[in-house]
Amino acid sequence: MDVLSDLFLDYTLRTVALGSAALGIVSGALGAFAVLRRQALLGDAMSHAALPGVALAFLITGSRAPLVLMIGAALTGWLAAAAIVYIVRASRIKTDTAMALMLSVFFGAGLVVLTFIQRQPAAGKAGLDKFLFGQAAAMLESDVITMASVGAVGLLGVLVLWKEFKLLSFDPDFAATLGMPTRRLDMLLTSLLVIAIVVGLKTVGVVLMSAMVVAPGAAARQWTNRLGVMVTLAALFGAAAGVLGALLSTTAQTSTGPTIVLVATGLVLVSLLFAPTRGLVWTRMHALRSQRVLALEAVMSDLAALAAQHSSDATRPHDVAALHAVRGRALVDRALSELAADGLAQRHDGGGWSLTPRGLAEADRLARLRRAPSEYL
Amino acid sequence: MDLDVPQGVLMAIVGPNGAGKTTLLRTVLGLLRPAAGEVRIFGRPYAEQRRLVAYVPQRGSVDWDFPTTALDIVTMGTYGGLGWVRRPGSSERSRATAALAQVGMQAYADRQISQLSGGQQQRVFLARALVQDAQVYLMDEPFQGVDATTERAIVDLLRSLRADGKTVVAVHHDLQTVAEYFDQVTLLNVRRIASGPVGTVFTDENLRLTYGGRVAGIGGRTNGTGPEAHL
């Protein structure tokens, strides 16, 4: 409760929460497209590649203004993406190799420049190393305003070109035959993803920022089959992970990036397990239910076959020992008690079983269904 | 290679794997740049006539787990006429619904596309092309891996397109059905072996030239002598 009341009273916490919400919304919404376009690793490469941009921007301008550092980060992040595309197109190197290559080259260069800056006596150098793992506690109002405005540009781009980006993500070849400039659209959407990444860079850090791009989208995909709902949900999940993670890290004094990522991972885990239709628990339960229904039908058809051998009295009791032997005792007994509960089978005095008249009719219907399924479709 | 497709016919493009069938379609559609030569639709460059051409890609070319519905996919066929930024409205959706009905899929409009069978997915792609209301339909293996119901539906659709004076060019694999489903055929194996009415062109001799003998090595790039496709 303390954190919750502080959220509204404490200026620092409020700033942190607002900023993290903004970054979560932007990276979640744009990350959803990256997830659908299988560009999760591109996001990782670009966020690592943003580090030299931050360091160089500071080195050249001497300014630590958030917008200046963001522009630097966006430039090198974007450059890395362009380099990856170029390498794949111009050589025989595959995409994953090109991405790993650019990620390490740019990140390595960033670390070199960063250590160079650290050795300078100049004032104001402190803080750049925070870009590695992120720090929410140091967030200022000016940071939040910059993050929100830059992020708004990214969101606006998605809203305006919604149908273009949707078609580009689903079927780029078809988009091209409609006359859409797919290569430029692709570049634009990637640039918007760069925007999403640089918005969160200072808070989450270059090392783990890609998780904020991927995790909300991956979690959101589990809950819906509509693109609009998925992108909205991803934005909400991103905001939730951002705010929760940032507040936790501020109160527990842990690194913000890792904390946010842990929260986001929790959301993914819950979604993977419990989402209806796609969740693992749901699919497992669905499979179990199908197995149970199949067992019921099998035992019913067994009993019907036994009854057919004694056509004089279809409901006379039969010993189920043979069924036990063939299908397994546990399965048969469970099926029998369920059939009895549904009034389809009955247990006679002396332990024998038979179908009820209703059960016989049902078994007959199922048998005909099996013989000529098309009639019932 | 030269290829002329007369107006108002159903033409099959037939040839072994790697013959360049898909490459030919993709080149006509401007998805691949021709090494040389040009594509003309009704006598004018493709770029000017884009609206008159609809494309049905191979079913396997997209991710069917994309979060969207059958109706939404078909609505994508209207995007070309909408221009930038504008979103599809109720008139676009009703056109898409009508196209779905035309391929017998109206009951599946709200289905998530991964929950459709292969044949149903193929019909969704066909409906998307129908919505484009084009004059020329280029189809990449529309019959591949579909059930009998879908095969029937596609054949009916092809015939109704021809009855409306539309032109269909389809990559086709099943030599048995070429004569039944199509009235023109192009035999392709890197170069054009033969092209014309099924009755005169679809001969044992030409098929031997297409499928027999050497296996073509390169991936079917149209090359050298100036490929031209007049549709």
Side-chain angles (χ1 to χ4, degrees), chain A residues 159 163 166 173 221 278, chain B residues 26 65 72 83 87 128:
Chain A
L159 280 179
K163 84 172 188 302
K166 174 155 112 180
D173 280 350
R221 179 66 191 92
R278 293 173 75 95
Chain B
R26 292 176 65 83
D65 197 37
D72 199 36
R87 306 264 182 105
R128 182 177 71 173

Side-chain angles (χ1 to χ4, degrees), chain A residues 267-343:
Chain A
L267 284 174
V268 174
L269 207 62
V270 168
S271 305
L272 282 178
L273 284 176
F274 300 111
T277 321
R278 293 173 75 95
L280 289 175
V281 171
W282 196 94
T283 16
R284 183 81 198 116
M285 271 167 56
H286 193 69
L288 283 177
R289 208 169 53 215
S290 310
Q291 275 174 19
R292 221 186 60 215
V293 170
L294 283 176
L296 285 183
E297 291 185 12
V299 170
M300 266 172 74
S301 98
D302 289 345
L303 285 175
L306 285 172
Q309 288 168 11
H310 307 273
S311 50
S312 56
D313 179 11
T315 54
R316 94 172 223 180
H318 296 280
D319 187 8
V320 291
L323 267 60
H324 280 155
V326 175
R327 301 204 183 271
R329 178 177 284 274
L331 181 149
V332 171
D333 286 347
R334 195 169 342 113
L336 283 173
S337 66
E338 276 186 49
L339 287 173
D342 292 343

Side-chain angles (χ1 to χ4, degrees), chain B residues 1 3 11-15 24 184-188 192 194-196:
Chain B
M1 76 162 237
L3 178 61
M11 177 183 275
I13 297 187
V14 170
L24 177 66
Q184 296 249 331
V185 64
T186 293
L187 296 163
L188 193 72
R192 194 198 71 178
S195 180

Side-chain angles (χ1 to χ4, degrees), chain A residues 36 38 159 161-164 166-167 170-171 173-174 176-179 181 221 225-227 230 278, chain B residues 26 31 46 50 55 62-63 65-69 72-73 76 79 83-87 112 128 132:
Chain A
L36 289 174
R38 295 156 198 258
L159 280 179
L161 293 175
W162 179 262
K163 84 172 188 302
E164 283 78 10
K166 174 155 112 180
L167 187 50
F170 175 65
D171 193 349
D173 280 350
F174 186 76
T177 68
L178 293 183
R221 179 66 191 92
N225 281 325
R226 302 286 160 122
L227 181 64
M230 175 181 165
R278 293 173 75 95
Chain B
R26 292 176 65 83
L31 296 173
Y46 168 74
R50 204 186 281 283
Y55 174 44
V62 301
D63 175 14
D65 197 37
F66 197 83
T68 191
T69 60
D72 199 36
I73 298 293
M76 288 175 180
Y79 286 7
W84 288 97
V85 181
R86 259 186 64 205
R87 306 264 182 105
Q112 180 352 48
R128 182 177 71 173
Q132 291 180 262

Side-chain angles (χ1 to χ4, degrees), chain A residues 293 297 300-301 304 344 355 357-373 375-376:
Chain A
V293 170
E297 291 185 12
M300 266 172 74
S301 98
L344 296 171
L355 292 175
R358 202 153 68 77
L360 281 166
E362 177 66 11
D364 191 44
R365 192 184 69 85
L366 287 173
R368 267 184 288 129
L369 194 74
R370 220 169 293 135
R371 248 175 282 134
E375 288 171 34
Y376 294 85

Side-chain angles (χ1 to χ4, degrees), chain A residues 245-262:
Chain A
L247 291 182
L248 276 175
S249 81
T250 308
T251 44
Q253 311 234 315
T254 52
S255 290
T256 311
T259 316
I260 287 182
V261 168
L262 284 181

